[in-house]
Amino acid sequence: MSSANHAAIELDDVWYAYDRSHFVLQGIFLAVAQGSALAIVGHSGSGKTTLLKLINGLLTPSRGLVHLFGNGVNGDAQLNGARARVGYIPQQLGLVRSATAVQNVLVGALPRVGDVASLLGRFPPEEIALATRLLELVGLAGRAGEKVHRLSGGERQRVAIARALMQKPSILLADEFISDLDDETAYEVMDLVEGIHKEGVTLVMVTHDFAMGARYAERAVLLHRGRKVTECKASELRHAESALPP
Ligand SMILES: Nc1ncnc2c1ncn2[C@@H]1O[C@H](COP(=O)(O)OP(=O)(O)O)[C@@H](O)[C@H]1O
Ligand SMILES: [Mg+2]
């Protein structure tokens, strides 16, 4: 059972290799307190996306354990239940461009609603109402029926946020999903994520932008070539960066 005493996320000596010859994550220990905000920073290829996929159960560690709220998520049987509580905003968003905003948001309800509804494209009215409300929350009132390919970059990020919220997540993982936006829109979208975090959702954001990490996270973890080299206050990130090997 989940418990208030447990960390939201705990990694215990986690290793990961896509192929047997090379561990792209090595010996990662991590504890993310419930309701906190963590930034994961590091150069391209350092293992940030892999780490998020291990947290949400899209990947299973080669060695070591991942716990969410005290429950192990390494067994396949537990995977769906655990993953349902983890809202994930991938770097490439993964929206269906030919579908409408509200159809994309409803994808977040699939763990609850099941495959049959998804095949038929039928969702219970209360789920459609929730999806519509979430689109309003992210500033897309009246755009629910718009096809995603007609939305701007910032609007698409908002749809992806609404889809993650549709999972009713207790943890939100955001993978550099604002990096294609201009600064002003990026901060607007992050303010939205910050508001969600302040409602009590544990936030883990991957970013290469140290200012962004310092502004929106409390703690920071620095990855370098698959190893965690530092964990510090997010406000101390700049010093940590200068300690990195090139
Ligand atoms: N599907 C994959 N198959 C094989 N290697 C991969 C795959 N995805 C990522 N990698 C490798 O794993 C390492 C870490 O990648 P990634 O986690 O995407 O890093 P980051 O998100 O920090 O850029 C890189 O060396 C990358 O090439
Ligand atoms: Mg990445």
Side-chain angles (χ1 to χ4, degrees):
M1 293 300 291
S2 67
S3 155
N5 298 325
H6 285 108
I9 303 164
E10 199 161 354
L11 272 64
D12 184 13
D13 197 15
V14 165
W15 295 65
Y16 189 77
Y18 287 98
D19 58 67
R20 281 159 197 274
S21 58
H22 177 54
F23 283 99
V24 299
L25 284 175
Q26 304 179 28
I28 306 288
F29 289 86
L30 184 65
V32 185
Q34 290 187 34
S36 67
L38 174 75
I40 297 174
V41 293
H43 295 312
S44 176
S46 59
K48 305 182 296 294
T49 295
T50 305
L51 189 60
L52 286 192
K53 288 181 175 174
L54 287 162
I55 293 171
N56 76 4
L58 282 176
L59 297 174
T60 303
S62 308
R63 288 193 226 156
L65 296 169
V66 176
H67 287 93
L68 301 182
F69 301 99
N71 299 313
V73 290
N74 297 335
D76 284 343
Q78 296 152 313
L79 207 110
N80 282 332
R83 200 195 291 171
R85 302 184 65 188
V86 183
Y88 179 47
I89 310 174
Q91 186 161 6
Q92 304 303 333
L93 300 186
L95 299 173
V96 182
R97 293 167 56 94
S98 59
T100 63
V102 73
Q103 284 167 336
N104 274 277
V105 174
L106 282 164
V107 168
L110 288 182
R112 292 195 291 280
V113 172
D115 291 342
V116 176
S118 82
L119 284 171
L120 299 176
R122 283 190 200 138
F123 288 88
E126 64 270 20
E127 298 288 5
I128 296 169
L130 175 60
T132 308
R133 275 210 309 283
L134 289 173
L135 282 169
E136 286 165 13
L137 177 78
V138 300
L140 292 175
R143 309 296 300 279
E146 197 83 69
K147 296 254 169 84
V148 162
H149 69 79
R150 298 190 50 180
L151 299 177
S152 71
E155 288 168 342
R156 287 177 196 169
Q157 318 286 28
R158 291 167 194 270
V159 173
I161 293 171
R163 181 188 54 191
L165 293 181
M166 195 69 195
Q167 293 175 249
K168 302 179 182 173
S170 42
I171 296 171
L172 187 60
L173 308 177
D175 192 354
E176 301 201 70
F177 76 116
I178 50 167
S179 47
D180 294 339
L181 300 180
D182 61 86
D183 275 2
E184 193 182 331
T185 314
Y187 278 103
E188 265 176 42
V189 172
M190 273 314 296
D191 285 345
L192 195 60
V193 170
E194 186 179 42
I196 294 156
H197 164 59
K198 288 196 166 146
E199 299 283 315
V201 176
T202 305
L203 173 66
V204 178
M205 56 183 283
V206 163
T207 179
H208 58 264
D209 182 335
F210 286 73
M212 197 65 96
R215 173 154 163 185
Y216 291 102
E218 293 132 24
R219 304 282 303 166
V221 160
L222 195 55
L223 285 185
H224 187 66
R225 295 190 182 155
R227 290 190 175 273
K228 176 175 149 182
V229 289
T230 313
E231 182 172 344
C232 61
K233 284 186 190 165
S235 56
E236 292 164 1
L237 262 176
R238 280 175 193 289
H239 306 293
E241 185 190 26
S242 58
L244 264 189

